[in-house]
Amino acid sequence: MSLQEQFDKAAVNVKNLKALPSNDDLLVLYANFKQATVGDADPANRPGMLDLKGKAKFDAWLARKGTSKDDAIKAYIAKVESLIASIGLQ
């Protein structure tokens, strides 16, 4: 199975976890997904002061700046696999 196929499968599996992951886990998933699909975040597009959730997500993504697409995909897959091991699938 190719890396892209593994990534696509992980993206489906994450939606079928038995429970919602912690906020920290969700930020890691979001940041790696965005880095893998969009690339580096542009600091000029950071959400405003009142959008706390948006800023947290953006900052997590920005922290991955410079990470290659393949590395972000691998990190995303690894995180999903660890969540499946700890939480399980429906």
Side-chain angles (χ1 to χ4, degrees):
M1 185 180 303
S2 75
L3 191 59
Q4 185 63 46
E5 290 170 335
Q6 292 176 40
F7 178 71
D8 294 340
K9 183 180 177 188
V12 170
N13 284 341
V14 79
K15 295 176 184 175
N16 295 315
L17 293 171
K18 282 185 180 179
L20 187 66
S22 71
N23 285 338
D24 289 339
D25 289 336
L26 289 172
L27 286 174
V28 170
L29 288 170
Y30 176 83
N32 284 314
F33 186 88
K34 289 293 279 189
Q35 188 67 24
T37 57
V38 178
D40 289 341
D42 180 2
N45 293 331
R46 188 170 191 252
M49 287 180 21
L50 300 178
D51 185 1
L52 299 178
K53 183 177 179 180
K55 282 192 335 184
K57 290 169 64 174
F58 186 85
D59 289 346
W61 177 23
L62 187 60
R64 304 287 187 288
K65 188 173 185 172
T67 303
S68 71
K69 177 179 180 170
D70 285 349
D71 287 345
I73 288 174
K74 289 174 187 173
Y76 182 84
I77 293 168
K79 187 63 176 176
V80 171
E81 289 174 354
S82 75
L83 289 170
I84 290 171
S86 64
I87 297 173
L89 292 174
Q90 293 180 2

